[in-house]
């Protein structure tokens, strides 16, 4: 029963992806692919005062990879860069089966739980989050007040 519900959430995001478009005002954009499956994800993010004001994606691939990217854009929008990094780390642990997902933190992402049982698909689910981490590399730290102690 629960599995069917999860499947529907994934298919819904796959068929009606959220925030799937270019972002002309993007501060950072990153692209990666998963050659094992043919998934391709480009993420665009507009940063505003250390927060992810807007996150969009473009790409193609299997339902898991596209649904995960769609959910990502909704999950991290409005979060600070640090919070987004934390969620990304937690999502990875969740996919590795070492973290029991907290519904408040994960929301619809919990629907990807079934993927944990299929190691070959984990890369599909994690791809968008890898791109996010890549995109956020080098951002955030500069805004720290202690960056220049002098
Ligand atoms: Zn895939």
């Amino acid at each position: 029963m629960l599995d069917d519900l999860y499947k529907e959430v994934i298919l819904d995001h796959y068929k009606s992806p959220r925030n799937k478009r270019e972002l002309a005002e993007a501060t950072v954009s990153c692209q990666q692919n998963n050659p094992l499956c043919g998934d391709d994800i480009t993420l665009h993010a507009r940063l505003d005062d250390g927060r992810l004001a807007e996150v969009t994606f473009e790409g193609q691939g299997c339902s898991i990879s596209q649904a995960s990217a769609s959910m990502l854009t909704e999950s991290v929008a409005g979060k600070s860069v640090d919070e987004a990094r934390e969620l990304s780390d937690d999502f990875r642990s969740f996919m590795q089966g070492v973290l029991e997902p907290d519904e408040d933190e994960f929301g619809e992402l919990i629907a990807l739980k079934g993927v944990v049982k299929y190691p070959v698909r984990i890369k599909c689910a994690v791809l968008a989050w890898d791109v996010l981490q890549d995109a956020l590399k080098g951002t955030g730290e500069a805004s720290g007040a202690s960056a220049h102690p002098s």
Side-chain angles (χ1 to χ4, degrees), residues 19 21-31 42-48 51-58 72-73 76-79 81 84 131-137 139:
N19 307 304
R21 56 190 158 83
E22 271 187 81
L23 186 60
E25 322 85 83
T27 318
V28 289
S29 293
C30 251
Q31 185 262 338
T42 302
L43 272 190
H44 307 290
R46 183 168 61 80
L47 293 165
D48 184 19
R51 290 196 170 266
L52 292 156
E54 211 172 345
V55 184
T56 69
F57 83 102
E58 295 178 277
L72 178 152
T73 63
V76 302
K79 281 188 163 41
V81 168
V131 183
L132 176 71
Q133 291 245 325
D134 210 13
L136 295 181
K137 232 180 251 169
T139 65

Side-chain angles (χ1 to χ4, degrees), residues 53-66:
E54 211 172 345
V55 184
T56 69
F57 83 102
E58 295 178 277
Q60 56 200 3
C62 68
S63 56
I64 304 281
S65 67
Q66 303 303 302

Side-chain angles (χ1 to χ4, degrees), residues 71-124:
M71 290 185 207
L72 178 152
T73 63
E74 290 198 316
S75 304
V76 302
K79 281 188 163 41
S80 71
V81 168
D82 286 343
E83 287 167 341
R85 281 206 187 98
E86 194 180 316
L87 181 61
S88 180
D89 286 340
D90 285 350
F91 182 78
R92 218 170 298 251
S93 303
F94 165 42
M95 282 294 116
Q96 286 160 357
V98 296
L99 181 107
E100 194 53 41
D102 175 78
E103 205 163 343
D104 286 340
E105 182 188 8
F106 280 78
E108 284 191 319
L109 290 170
I110 288 191
L112 292 164
K113 191 172 184 164
V115 176
V116 177
K117 284 178 275 181
Y118 304 95
V120 291
R121 309 309 300 278
I122 292 175
K123 178 69 190 168
C124 302

